[in-house]
Amino acid sequence: MKILVPVKRVVDYNVKVRVKSDGTGVDIANVKMSMNPFDEIAVEEAVRLKEKGIATEVIAVSCGVAQCQETLRTAMAIGADRAILVETTEELQPLAVAKLLKALVDKEQPGLIILGKQAIDDDCNQTGQMLAALADLPQATFASKVEVVDGKAQVTREVDGGLEVLSLSMPAVITTDLRLNEPRYVTLPNIMKAKKKQLDTFKPEDLGVDVSPRITTLKVSEPPKRSAGIKVPDVATLVDKLKNVSKVI
């Protein structure tokens, strides 16, 4: 069984992002980029399934600029067997990515598609669901545990009231939550091995997909600055401040 794992190149989570002075977007010049943390969890889960003998091959996929190759090499250093880059300089929105992934699903015929529930740059949380709809596949989102038993995927997901367990026929789409696993530390020998692994490159037109943006960003701005909080000595003072200063009660 093949597992397809889409990964996204995003601004590293430790970096404080800055909005461009003209308000057209976020400044990513000379900023450290890395793999989206939720996608890293997805790669780790796919590799663990391979180590258990459930999967035979893990394929990492990324869509975007040529530098996404670095992200794919990281995925292969974690344990992915090969990688596919759909290279384009167009702004890729969730629907376009889902269409590209659907074309690759048709091409590779994986038994599972595991991807992060959302990317930390746009926070859309849409690609997995859109892919499942386009490919007409069962889906389980926000997975905190994944098991493959008797040809079915048993997925535990966190909901408001506790935990929900879904049984999915495969092929299926699964999106990962933070508590699914803790990704392994990537060692130098594995980084060196990843450089020799197969990485295929396609263009969107090779897959017959139009990736033209459907949504226009009018303006990007920073949230308004908030004044610092204060400490109060007791509950009576807190109630007084809330009533007479903040006037929220």
Side-chain angles (χ1 to χ4, degrees):
M1 180 181 77
K2 294 179 185 177
I3 300 181
L4 198 71
V5 188
V7 296
K8 187 176 184 181
R9 179 176 181 263
V10 298
V11 176
D12 189 87
Y13 67 92
N14 287 311
V15 173
K16 188 181 187 307
V17 295
R18 298 187 307 273
V19 174
K20 291 179 181 177
S21 57
D22 59 2
T24 57
V26 172
D27 186 4
I28 59 170
N30 303 314
V31 170
K32 182 184 177 186
M33 308 291 281
S34 61
M35 188 190 301
N36 177 47
F38 291 103
D39 296 339
E40 198 171 354
I41 292 168
V43 176
E44 174 67 26
E45 193 64 25
V47 172
R48 289 187 186 188
L49 289 171
K50 185 190 170 189
E51 289 171 346
K52 290 176 183 174
I54 294 166
T56 54
E57 187 179 30
V58 176
I59 308 162
V61 179
S62 193
C63 307
V65 294
Q67 290 89 329
C68 290
Q69 289 187 31
E70 300 164 16
T71 309
L72 290 170
R73 294 292 178 196
T74 301
M76 288 190 284
I78 294 172
D81 298 290
R82 60 185 173 95
I84 298 171
L85 171 62
V86 182
E87 188 179 340
T88 177
T89 54
E90 286 270 9
E91 177 200 347
L92 289 177
Q93 294 172 352
L95 180 59
V97 176
K99 287 180 177 178
L100 291 171
L101 294 177
K102 198 268 182 183
L104 290 174
V105 166
D106 292 342
K107 180 181 173 64
E108 295 289 343
Q109 296 292 309
L112 271 179
I113 303 99
I114 307 178
L115 64 162
K117 68 172 184 177
Q118 65 194 78
I120 61 171
D121 52 0
D122 57 20
D123 269 342
C124 280
N125 181 16
Q126 295 174 342
T127 305
Q129 293 90 325
M130 287 177 168
L131 171 60
L134 290 171
D136 195 23
L137 295 175
Q139 63 174 312
T141 55
F142 316 127
S144 59
K145 185 178 180 182
V146 175
E147 294 177 304
V148 177
V149 182
D150 298 330
K152 288 185 177 291
Q154 305 283 345
V155 180
T156 304
R157 57 193 303 270
E158 297 179 353
V159 294
D160 291 340
L163 298 176
E164 178 182 56
V165 181
L166 301 177
S167 178
L168 308 178
S169 57
M170 297 195 296
V173 177
I174 297 172
T175 71
T176 63
D177 210 341
L178 277 175
R179 279 165 288 283
L180 179 58
N181 62 52
E182 186 173 335
R184 68 194 68 189
Y185 177 76
V186 179
T187 61
L188 183 58
N190 286 337
I191 293 172
M192 300 308 291
K193 287 177 188 174
K195 292 181 178 179
K196 298 178 181 177
K197 290 184 179 180
Q198 179 183 345
L199 196 161
D200 299 318
T201 303
F202 297 97
K203 300 284 187 185
E205 49 267 30
D206 298 335
L207 301 172
V209 178
D210 177 16
V211 295
S212 304
R214 304 293 187 91
I215 301 169
T216 303
T217 301
L218 301 179
K219 184 182 179 184
V220 177
S221 59
E222 291 189 11
K225 288 189 167 46
R226 295 185 293 181
S227 56
I230 61 169
K231 288 184 178 180
V232 293
D234 50 46
V235 174
T237 310
L238 172 62
V239 173
D240 178 64
K241 294 280 187 188
L242 291 174
K243 187 179 290 185
N244 300 314
V245 180
S246 300
K247 300 189 185 301
V248 294
I249 60 173

